[in-house]
Amino acid sequence: MGILEKISEIEKEIARTQKNKATEYHLGLLKAKLAKYRAQLLEPSKSASSKGEGFDVMKSGDARVALIGFPSVGKSTFLSLMTSTASEAASYEFTTLTCIPGVIEYKGANIQLLDLPGIIEGAAQGKGRGRQVIAVARTADVVIMMLDATKGEVQRSLLEKELESVGIRLNKHRPNIYFKPKKGGGISFNSTVTLTQCSEKLVQLILHEYKIFNAEVLFREDCSPDEFIDVIVGNRVYMPCLYVYNKIDQISMEEVDRLARKPNSVVISCGMKLNLDYLLEMLWEYLALTCIYTKKRGQRPDFTDAIILRKGASVEHVCHRIHRSLASQFKYALVWGTSTKYSPQRVGLTHTMEHEDVIQIVKK
């Protein structure tokens, strides 16, 4: 029996098992086995295959956004509209066969946008280059899921299922569970909150399935067995996702209104160029980037060339971005902007910068 057959057997077993107190341990074990088999499925094959054309694209710019969706939902049209790159678009499926990069210039930042081939059902098992597509999506900072507004909710649930099965968790945060394997001493289990979905016995069963008999486990929030398995496996990617409904010019106003009110969703039309500016604003918010401007002593700030950093970046990050030896020669910095109590404020390396702050660095 191959791995795919084992996976489908376990999925059928989970589907037909009733969820109640008596079966929770059995279900927990099944989920652990399922995660194990899926991890095996993702491992590259040992046999040396001939080298084909490379699929992934070198990371460039300040952030990376991946376009994921079924064939013929408008991904290539969107890339051609947003960037100066022309991606071939036609009325038949699988027009795009490889990864095509483009660059969006917005608020002084260069955002790399990747147009990936369409995903089909069963992509996680390797159908239609699905594994390569999903592997590139794992390296992105934000995923834009392109959906056809005329097809309803089917596409969204299918895509989420495919991404879930390869360890991509969309719009979720990392479970607050402390887990550390040890050399000996058995399993020490503690929790700072009342657990309603996991028990000590279930945690032990799941750990035994992974051949872990000595470990320290501390639950700091009420997590499900699935989330605990994610912590054990440790290769899960948690990333923000923006659901973009294209082709809204083909549906009713009531339907557009319903889709637009969903969380993490934006409605657009690439054909009629509707609502694209709002999508860019939302994308900027999800990427959580900040622009920081530099200033020389006795001169006006340079507002033409911004330093783009992640939200929560400190003065030290700014120093490293300007030159790697600058942090070692740093004396103090003067900062103007919303991160300070008064302008200019004299700060050290640990000061957190905010969007559109101006900084002047003084060396020793």
Side-chain angles (χ1 to χ4, degrees):
M1 193 190 258
I3 293 177
L4 287 174
E5 286 87 29
K6 284 179 182 172
I7 287 175
S8 64
E9 280 294 312
I10 292 173
E11 280 175 342
K12 282 176 194 164
E13 173 88 10
I14 288 174
R16 65 171 175 257
T17 307
Q18 284 186 330
K19 286 185 178 69
N20 55 43
K21 272 265 171 70
T23 60
E24 65 177 9
Y25 299 123
H26 179 58
L27 278 171
L29 269 179
L30 287 176
K31 282 173 180 172
K33 277 184 181 161
L34 189 61
K36 218 161 121 186
Y37 287 137
R38 279 185 177 152
Q40 284 175 17
L41 193 66
L42 286 176
E43 282 171 12
S45 57
K46 296 280 188 289
S47 59
S49 56
S50 60
K51 281 199 171 178
E53 187 188 334
F55 192 85
D56 197 2
V57 177
M58 191 176 161
K59 211 167 186 174
S60 70
D62 302 299
R64 188 178 218 188
V65 177
L67 277 173
I68 278 188
F70 277 88
S72 290
V73 290
K75 298 188 294 296
S76 300
T77 316
F78 177 72
L79 181 88
S80 305
L81 275 176
M82 287 297 193
T83 69
S84 54
T85 312
S87 181
E88 193 186 338
S91 57
Y92 55 87
E93 295 191 343
F94 288 108
T95 319
T96 309
L97 292 172
T98 182
C99 179
I100 296 169
V103 176
I104 304 173
E105 288 176 9
Y106 186 67
K107 289 188 179 177
N110 291 333
I111 301 163
Q112 187 182 36
L113 186 67
L114 300 180
D115 178 20
L116 298 169
I119 283 184
I120 53 173
E121 205 177 337
Q125 278 85 44
K127 276 189 194 169
R129 294 200 92 173
R131 275 200 216 167
Q132 287 110 311
V133 173
I134 291 168
V136 174
R138 279 175 78 99
T139 64
D141 299 307
V142 170
V143 166
I144 289 184
M145 197 181 278
M146 280 294 243
L147 303 161
D148 192 333
T150 58
K151 298 271 171 71
E153 293 303 298
V154 190
Q155 288 191 347
R156 178 168 167 171
S157 55
L158 279 173
L159 279 172
E160 279 177 343
K161 193 177 154 199
E162 290 296 329
L163 295 177
E164 279 272 319
S165 65
V166 293
I168 296 176
R169 303 285 177 262
L170 301 175
N171 295 328
K172 286 182 185 174
H173 63 87
R174 199 176 294 277
N176 196 353
I177 300 172
Y178 172 75
F179 170 72
K180 187 183 178 185
K182 294 189 297 188
K183 289 280 190 313
I187 291 167
S188 85
F189 175 85
N190 272 310
S191 64
T192 56
V193 289
T194 312
L195 300 180
T196 58
Q197 304 171 60
C198 259
S199 66
E200 187 171 351
K201 188 183 168 190
L202 181 56
V203 165
Q204 282 181 347
L205 277 171
I206 292 170
L207 286 171
H208 287 178
E209 180 61 40
Y210 280 93
K211 310 248 183 321
I212 297 169
F213 302 101
N214 304 296
E216 208 175 318
V217 181
L218 172 64
F219 277 72
R220 292 197 183 98
E221 64 180 2
D222 188 14
C223 294
S224 66
D226 290 326
E227 289 173 320
F228 179 57
I229 290 166
D230 287 350
V231 171
I232 298 170
V233 177
N235 64 351
R236 304 298 188 234
V237 180
Y238 297 86
M239 58 170 66
C241 173
L242 202 52
Y243 301 101
V244 177
Y245 292 90
N246 189 18
K247 306 182 185 179
I248 54 164
D249 48 313
Q250 298 174 18
I251 56 172
S252 64
M253 274 306 289
E254 291 77 26
E255 185 67 7
V256 171
D257 188 54
R258 188 183 70 80
L259 291 173
R261 287 178 192 280
K262 290 190 160 207
N264 311 312
S265 300
V266 179
V267 289
I268 64 160
S269 168
C270 289
M272 295 178 75
K273 298 182 183 172
L274 300 174
N275 211 23
L276 295 174
D277 48 350
Y278 176 65
L279 172 55
L280 272 180
E281 273 176 45
M282 286 290 284
L283 187 59
W284 179 263
E285 221 171 277
Y286 273 64
L287 285 167
L289 297 174
T290 52
C291 295
I292 288 149
Y293 301 105
T294 53
K295 176 187 176 303
K296 287 181 181 172
R297 188 181 289 177
Q299 292 180 19
R300 293 186 72 79
D302 179 14
F303 289 120
T304 55
D305 189 18
I307 295 171
I308 310 291
L309 293 165
R310 288 292 149 94
K311 202 168 268 182
S314 65
V315 174
E316 194 172 358
H317 291 113
V318 180
C319 291
H320 283 305
R321 180 58 72 88
I322 296 167
H323 195 274
R324 61 174 181 266
S325 67
L326 190 58
S328 56
Q329 301 168 352
F330 178 88
K331 190 177 180 187
Y332 65 88
L334 296 171
V335 175
W336 291 257
T338 52
S339 67
T340 56
K341 287 177 184 167
Y342 44 86
S343 293
Q345 185 173 325
R346 185 171 162 164
V347 297
L349 279 173
T350 53
H351 176 77
T352 306
M353 305 294 287
E354 283 181 15
H355 187 48
E356 293 186 338
D357 275 2
V358 174
I359 187 168
Q360 178 187 319
I361 293 168
V362 179
K363 295 202 298 190
K364 283 175 186 168

